[in-house]
Amino acid sequence: MELRDKMQKHGKVLIVDDEEVALKNLKHVMSKEGYEVAGTQSGEEALALIKDQPFDVVLTDLQMEKMDGMQLLKACRAASPDTEVIMITGYATAETAVEAMKEGAFYYIAKPFRLEEVRKITGEAMEKVRLRRENRQLREQVERYQGKVQIITQDAGMRRLLDLAKQIAPTDCNVLVTGESGTGKELFARYLHNQSNRVNGPYIAVNCGAFSMELLSNELFGHEKGAFTGATTSKTGLMEAASGGTLFLDEITEMPTEMQVKLLRVIQEKEVLRLGATKPVKVDVRIVAATNRDITEEVKRGSFRQDLYFRLNVVNLHIPALSQRMDDLPLLINHFLQKYAAQMKKNVTEISPEALAKLMNHEFTGNVRELENIVERGTAITNSHAIELAHLPDNLLESGTRFRKKDGAIMTLEEQEKEYIRWVLNEVGGNQTVAAQVLDINRVSLWRKLKTYNAGENQAEPPA
Ligand SMILES: Nc1ncnc2c1ncn2[C@@H]1O[C@H](COP(=O)(O)OP(=O)(O)OP(=O)(O)O)[C@@H](O)[C@H]1O
Ligand SMILES: [Mg+2]
């Protein structure tokens, strides 16, 4: 019991009492408790110590010469808000007690006190400090995790891309990230920011396709008060807000051409002119733009300015489609399994071989985002520790079955054609003339085909 108590007691205590004997006594008691203890007879010196080093708990006498306990309490709360203060006094009145608590004291102990009481209350104050510290650490951990980017891959091409991204991240050059929807363009943008020297600056993402021309302009460049009817206050644009950091311009090809001109100007001049303003403001932004369209095609067609394209595309990071790197699939599945199992507090740790095989054969037009959704859904609906075939979405289970025979073997082209013609015939109520029209072949060809298919059980009539 005593040993356990001793082991648990950590922390720094400062004792302030102008009476030498009392001070010595308390110091002795607190040292025996296992705390790191400092002491002083003066309020002023106490405050200097508090400003100089982090104390967890301050035990102070109320009645002292010059700076008294109440003044010390106030000064301490201001200088070191995380330090808990316990007030001790021989002249306990209800008023001082209330005042001390109001000023943020942890507790108020009246003399003569029992040592046991001081020990207990100090222990409680320590615990409060410890909990607050732990909470803060947890919150910071969560924040760090949320801002943290994990790009999961073992694909050689992706690794080269990551190396390139890491290499150029600390430079200020603009980057154009391209790739199909869901391949991780935004993830790369975030990665570039996190790996850059701008990491402590802002990271601001704007979807250029989500606003009308006027709204986008207003968002990006801001306006002065009175710039237009209804502009009752001025507004800082995101360009300005992102200064010192990274601006992620998503769906850049959706930016109207008029805006493209403005953006080009900002990039060239490194300054922004708010709507209605006369003087431009200096900005220092690193631009990462993204698109899932073929932007060179847009340049050729004239819907995207070539000069802006060159300015944005100083470095191009093209992220390959998931279907180009299926060796990443197990790794990604595992990553998302862990993510969602933890989030849903479920003990789902694996995917069955059948389900994995099914996914390996899937096309993933929605790329990593589609995979992530499938794993999230599977984790949510499984009752076991694994995602199994039955937990995959229906469309996935059906895909490919059209091209398989009942035993699962893949059909030959002829078998597929036969199946298809039968289906069309059935759809048109068995009328061969109509079926031939639908199939866009002549009736004689249709009849011949049916004849070969039905070699044994020939039911097809020769066309008239
Ligand atoms: N390599 C990867 N490792 C881990 N997670 C990934 C990876 N690639 C993509 N993701 C995840 O997939 C999802 C889609 O990625 P992201 O939003 O970056 O795609 P996008 O290319 O910007 O898509 P869109 O073109 O539709 O905007 C995100 O949740 C992202 O975290
Ligand atoms: Mg995106």
Side-chain angles (χ1 to χ4, degrees), residues 55 109 120 138 171 197 240 261 302 325 328 333 337 344-345 353 378 386 396:
F55 287 99
I109 302 174
K120 187 169 155 270
L138 274 177
T171 72
N197 307 323
E240 266 180 75
V261 184
R325 49 181 162 110
D328 271 348
I333 291 174
L337 258 177
M344 299 174 195
K345 298 195 171 63
L396 213 91

Side-chain angles (χ1 to χ4, degrees), residues 19 53 123 130 156 187 209 228 235 261 378 383 393 415 424 451:
E19 237 191 277
Q53 42 184 302
R130 189 183 65 79
L187 203 64
F228 49 86
K235 177 186 162 81
V261 184
N383 289 319
E415 283 164 339
V424 173
K451 200 175 153 197

